[in-house]
Amino acid sequence: KVIWILLVTILGYASTLPVGDDSICTAEELAKYSIIFTGKWSQTAFPKQYPLYRPPAQWSSMLGVTHSSDYSMWKKNEYASNGVRDFAEKGEAWVLMKEIEEAGQKIQSVHGIFSAPAISSGTGQTSTELEVHSRHPLVSFVVRIVPSPDWFVGIDSLNLCEGDHWMEEVSVDLFPYDAGTDSGFTFSSPNFATIPQDTVTEITCSSPSHPANSFYYPKLKILPPIAQVTMVKLRKNHLGLPAPYFNLPAKSNEIIDSVS
């Protein structure tokens, strides 16, 4: 009887642990990173239909999350959630934040939310800090392309843990994605819902294969990166204590606090 109780206890504990590749992370429990987003959406690199006014080319705020493999903010070739749809189409983050909060409460798959300010032009930088956990070493985020029907850039489940250590620095080139919820071809297309909803797809120089597409450059083999993100691990200060960690959202932090 004692052995049976012990076995049930062990299995019950194991079932609460996150599953997937991130479960084998044996690095120190917590790590903090600076995340820098760089917009590269210039008229020189992307001359076709480049938005100059009403509104000019710019980037929304960044909304991101650190999590385990039990949670997914968005995935290529899968349907966008209602929260991702609202963010990609209108830059509204509250439904997406609610989805993140519910995932964190339901299966403890979320460690924390981070955000960075918008960029008022196609080129420029914004940054913030994030914290990962050995059981939540994955980073995902979205940044809306403004103006656009439902286009965004982002990262899906980047693992910052390599076995027994955290990566010191990682840079990723970013390319545009279509959320599959609006059928517009151009940056300034009017709202025209995609019914039925399509999956999230990467926009390339030849797909969608239509001359009206703002990213249609048939003479190119590949689009230049429209943005880049760099994450740099922060060092502990000389006292051996973690450096101060400030991660304030753009608006009310009520939801962020409850998740963190």
Side-chain angles (χ1 to χ4, degrees):
K1 183 177 180 181
V2 172
I3 293 175
W4 173 249
I5 293 173
L6 182 61
L7 181 61
V8 170
T9 302
I10 292 172
L11 290 175
Y13 172 73
S15 67
T16 65
L17 295 176
V19 297
D21 294 340
D22 52 297
S23 62
I24 60 173
C25 178
T26 57
E28 60 180 335
E29 190 173 57
L30 296 174
K32 292 183 175 68
Y33 284 81
S34 171
I35 178 169
I36 304 101
F37 176 90
T38 304
K40 296 188 173 184
W41 185 18
S42 67
Q43 190 172 12
T44 302
F46 300 91
K48 187 177 180 182
Q49 302 166 358
Y50 189 81
L52 296 173
Y53 58 92
R54 297 183 183 177
Q58 57 190 278
W59 300 96
S60 77
S61 58
M62 171 193 290
L63 181 60
V65 61
T66 57
H67 59 96
S68 71
S69 59
D70 294 323
Y71 172 78
S72 173
M73 175 180 273
W74 66 276
K75 281 191 179 299
K76 183 179 177 180
N77 299 326
E78 294 188 7
Y79 292 105
S81 68
N82 290 336
V84 171
R85 178 199 64 203
D86 285 358
F87 193 87
E89 289 188 11
K90 298 173 284 188
E92 295 176 359
W94 300 111
V95 175
L96 181 54
M97 290 174 69
K98 188 66 176 177
E99 291 172 354
I100 296 169
E101 179 190 27
E102 289 173 352
Q105 292 176 343
K106 186 176 182 180
I107 53 175
Q108 290 79 51
S109 57
V110 170
H111 181 68
I113 298 174
F114 59 91
S115 62
I119 303 174
S120 60
S121 62
T123 58
Q125 285 190 337
T126 187
S127 64
T128 187
E129 294 179 6
L130 60 88
E131 182 181 84
V132 282
H133 186 277
S134 57
R135 293 197 303 272
H136 304 85
L138 307 181
V139 175
S140 297
F141 72 81
V142 287
V143 179
R144 180 176 182 247
I145 297 173
V146 184
S148 74
D150 60 342
W151 302 342
F152 68 95
V153 297
I155 278 182
D156 165 36
S157 304
L158 175 66
N159 195 341
L160 293 179
C161 182
E162 291 185 316
D164 62 352
H165 66 279
W166 295 103
M167 298 173 69
E168 291 295 326
E169 181 174 339
V170 58
S171 292
V172 180
D173 287 335
L174 303 177
F175 300 89
Y177 281 89
D178 186 320
T181 61
D182 192 295
S183 296
F185 268 125
T186 67
F187 295 119
S188 57
S189 291
N191 185 34
F192 185 66
T194 301
I195 302 174
Q197 181 176 333
D198 202 353
T199 56
V200 174
T201 56
E202 183 175 352
I203 300 171
T204 71
C205 56
S206 58
S207 178
S209 183
H210 194 291
N213 175 19
S214 291
F215 286 110
Y216 186 67
Y217 293 95
K219 293 183 179 180
L220 297 180
K221 291 185 177 180
I222 186 173
L223 284 175
I226 196 170
Q228 184 184 62
V229 66
T230 301
M231 282 165 272
V232 181
K233 187 174 181 289
L234 299 177
R235 305 284 183 180
K236 293 181 178 179
N237 63 25
H238 64 282
L239 296 176
L241 301 173
Y245 178 57
F246 303 102
N247 188 15
L248 301 177
K251 298 182 180 179
S252 168
N253 63 354
E254 181 179 349
I255 295 178
I256 286 86
D257 285 344
S258 68
V259 175
S260 299

